[in-house]
Amino acid sequence: DTGVSQNPRHKITKRGQNVTFRCDPISEHNRLYWYRQTLGQGPEFLTYFQNEAQLEKSRLLSDRFSAERPKGSFSTLEIQRTEQGDSAMYLCASSLLQESYEQYFGPGTRLTVT
Amino acid sequence: DAKTTQPNSMESNEEEPVHLPCNHSTISGTDYIHWYRQLPSQGPEYVIHGLTSNVNNRMASLAIAEDRKSSTLILHRATLRDAAVYYCILRDIYSGNTGKLIFGQGTTLQVKP
C-alpha cells in the first residue's frame, strides 16, 4: 500500500500524560501537513513541512505541541501534558511540491483524553 | 484565503445526479477551486479541482461559473458510497503559499436507496 499511514489509529490517555503520533507520507511527497478535527467540524490546519523544514505553524499549535520530520521522511506530532480539549482526530496529509496538487490524507489518529 | 459558502446538508436518491453548490464571491484570480470529501471515519479524499474551465474526472465534474464566483460539483450517478461531507476549498496557486487547506463546514450529502 503506497498511501499515507498513521499510527496509532486510536489513543486513550489520561490528562497530563504525553502522547506521540507518527505519520508516514507517500514516499516521493515533499510536503507534509498535520490537521486536527473535532466532532462535527472540518479539519483545521496545525503545521506544515517542506522536506525536513517546518515552515508554518498555526496559532492552534500551542507550546505543548511539537512536530518533527527528520530527514524529510516520516513525521511525529507530540503533545505534552495533554488536556481534555486535545481530544480530537489528528490527520496527516502529504503532497507534491506544487500548490495545485492534491493532498493525500491518512486515516487519522483518534485521541481521547480522559 | 477567500471564504466559501455551502449548504449544510443535501439529500439525493441513489442512481440520480447530484449538484453540490459552492459560493465564493471573493475569489481571487489566482485561487484554484478544490473539492474534497470525507467519508465516515476516514480522512478527507481529493475529488477534483479547477481554475477557470469546467473539469471532468472519473469521480465527478466541476462546473465553474464564468465570473468564478460560484461552482458546482456534479456527481453523475450517486451511489450509497458517495454519502459523505463535501468540502469546497480555495487555494492560491502562487509560490510562497504553504498549500494548506482551509476547510469550512462542508455539505453533508445523504444518499437514499
Side-chain angles (χ1 to χ4, degrees), chain A residues 31 33 37 56 99 103, chain B residues 36 38 91 98-101:
Chain A
R31 294 185 160 191
Y33 303 83
Q37 186 173 27
E56 185 173 341
E99 282 78 15
Q103 292 184 17
Chain B
Y36 282 74
Q38 189 171 22
R91 292 179 66 187
T98 64
K100 67 188 177 191
L101 297 172

Side-chain angles (χ1 to χ4, degrees), chain B residues 1-5 22-27 31 88 90 104:
Chain B
D1 293 283
K3 186 180 167 69
T4 63
T5 304
C22 180
N23 287 320
H24 28 78
S25 58
T26 58
I27 191 170
D31 282 329
C88 170
L90 302 181

